[in-house]
Amino acid sequence: MHISSAHWRAGAAALLLAGLACASHAQYSTGGPYNTGGARPHRPGEAQAEGPQAPRTQSRWEQVSRRLFDLRVALQITREQGPAWENFRGRFLDMATSGPAGPRIVDEQTAKDAFQYLLADAQRRSNMLATLDATAQVLLAQFSPEQMQIADRALPGLLADYGGSR
């Protein structure tokens, strides 16, 4: 039986495509390109750990940063949208990872001091959210209708997870 070069090339191309499909599936089997939960997909060039290993707890910054990276991939942010995305990302990370305005010393506070502390913290968060909103409006204005649909599905949950009062 003789296999022609055309059949050989077609078979090799099919095998290559099957291999790429399997590699793509393996890369995103942890939740797809917009992975909002578990582990981050394995990226080329990264070593995978062999055997059982104690999971390292991620910092809040790492968690938020990972979710924003996944969202950027899902949105397919273009080069032109990059500066607006980075500005939004920076403000979102600031908001999501900021703690209280300063140390609370409850035992030494008067009632008036406690109210002033709460008011100052609320004003600080309000200013931070206003800045985030302004950067989000600039970014959203640059989105295609498809990107807007993805943002409409993803951003409310992200804001609920990281934008609420703590």
Side-chain angles (χ1 to χ4, degrees), residues 23-80:
S24 175
H25 174 72
Q27 179 178 1
Y28 288 105
S29 65
T30 59
Y34 181 59
N35 177 8
T36 60
R40 178 174 59 79
H42 173 71
R43 289 185 176 72
E46 288 183 339
Q48 285 184 322
E50 296 295 327
Q53 200 175 40
R56 183 180 73 82
T57 304
Q58 289 186 331
S59 70
R60 186 170 181 88
W61 189 93
E62 290 170 322
Q63 292 170 2
V64 176
S65 187
R66 186 193 75 234
R67 294 264 313 260
L68 289 170
F69 174 82
D70 292 342
L71 179 58
R72 180 184 178 129
V73 170
L75 288 168
Q76 298 179 358
I77 297 295
T78 65
R79 178 173 287 142
E80 294 78 23

